[in-house]
Amino acid sequence: MGQGARSGRSLFALALIAAAAAGPGAHPLAGQEEFSTRAPVDSVVIGGRADTQFNTTSVDGVPGSEFLLRRARLWVSSRLNEVFDGVASVEFTEGQAQARYVFLRAWLHPSFRVTAGQFKRSFDLFSLTSSSHMLPIERTGSIRGVEDCAGVGNVCSYSRFSEQLQYGAVDMGLMVEGDVGGREGEGVVYYRAAVTNGEGGNIRETNGAKSVSAHVALRPARHLELGGGVSSHDYANESLGTD
């Protein structure tokens, strides 16, 4: 399953993350979607956004400054009835187009929702938060003119660390989530847990193993959120041909 040069053992990661929430209702899922699916019943909403960027570099052999279109996203969201809503979105970046979020969700109760499709793994708040809500210009830390993430395992930032270990980023599978002890989006406890293929976005399963991830957030006070994430993932041993 997946990629990486790990030697035939399941890796287990535990991260505790404390962060100041953006405000009421800013739970991770709302942040990652960039759009609202809880519009009036029988409604369809079409939206999109484009991220433009101006960057400079002192690296020799490349232009000192440039304007570019970093990414563009288009989406269609629909609330089918009181229970079901869904999203289909496409991302255009680096001259390629690919599906980003594609899922159907059932709102069975404020404390229990079920999502099936392609979405972000349930690991850490840094990855779950939408790039449209992030203060850093880019999570990857890439510098134009410098080899892209030249470190061991292509890790040059925290975002790349979680993605290269295949704990973060989008994947295909099933997720449950909910808010406990308060109104939707303002629960005292927010949880989400997912079982996914482990291959990443837009990639078919290669074996029967699955990745498991979970994220729990406690909101002890307004504008304060304490969270923890846990993930288990199998890696292919390319030498022995086993997982």
Side-chain angles (χ1 to χ4, degrees), residues 83-107:
V83 177
F84 293 100
D85 62 13
V87 166
S89 65
V90 179
E91 179 177 84
F92 303 88
T93 181
E94 298 180 353
Q96 297 181 341
Q98 61 180 359
R100 181 67 175 170
Y101 302 118
V102 182
F103 61 79
L104 180 67
R105 179 171 49 192
W107 295 65

Side-chain angles (χ1 to χ4, degrees), residues 18-227:
H27 61 66
L29 186 59
Q32 78 154 341
E33 288 178 351
E34 311 165 22
F35 34 68
S36 173
T37 56
R38 300 309 287 172
V41 174
D42 297 330
S43 65
V44 176
V45 178
I46 300 175
R49 71 181 178 94
D51 293 345
T52 57
Q53 186 181 104
F54 172 75
N55 63 58
T56 64
T57 180
S58 59
V59 176
D60 294 333
V62 296
S65 63
E66 71 169 0
F67 290 96
L68 58 87
L69 179 62
R70 177 65 180 85
R71 66 174 65 82
R73 291 177 181 169
L74 298 175
W75 62 77
V76 177
S77 61
S78 176
R79 184 180 178 189
L80 307 178
N81 52 43
E82 292 292 344
V83 177
F84 293 100
D85 62 13
V87 166
S89 65
V90 179
E91 179 177 84
F92 303 88
T93 181
E94 298 180 353
Q96 297 181 341
Q98 61 180 359
R100 181 67 175 170
Y101 302 118
V102 182
F103 61 79
L104 180 67
R105 179 171 49 192
W107 295 65
L108 303 178
H109 189 272
S111 62
F112 189 74
R113 304 185 290 276
V114 181
T115 301
Q118 181 165 290
F119 46 80
K120 281 187 178 179
R121 294 185 179 103
S122 307
F123 186 50
D124 62 79
L125 188 61
F126 190 68
S127 296
L128 289 171
T129 302
S130 165
S131 57
S132 64
H133 295 92
M134 296 291 293
L135 290 178
I137 295 176
E138 288 295 337
R139 278 180 277 220
T140 59
S142 300
I143 299 175
R144 187 164 49 83
V146 178
E147 184 179 351
D148 187 26
C149 287
V152 176
N154 297 114
V155 173
C156 60
S157 66
Y158 177 78
S159 179
R160 286 296 181 97
F161 175 78
S162 62
E163 289 185 7
Q164 289 296 322
L165 290 179
Q166 298 187 356
Y167 295 143
V170 297
D171 203 1
M172 179 72 70
L174 188 69
M175 175 176 67
V176 296
E177 60 170 336
D179 292 89
V180 181
R183 294 184 302 169
E184 162 61 27
E186 298 182 7
V188 176
V189 176
Y190 169 76
Y191 73 91
R192 55 182 285 153
V195 177
T196 59
N197 285 337
E199 303 291 348
N202 306 301
I203 302 176
R204 295 190 63 178
E205 176 67 281
T206 58
N207 61 23
K210 294 292 181 286
S211 292
V212 179
S213 58
H215 179 88
V216 177
L218 173 66
R219 304 183 181 106
R222 192 177 181 85
H223 303 299
L224 178 64
E225 184 172 297
L226 305 176

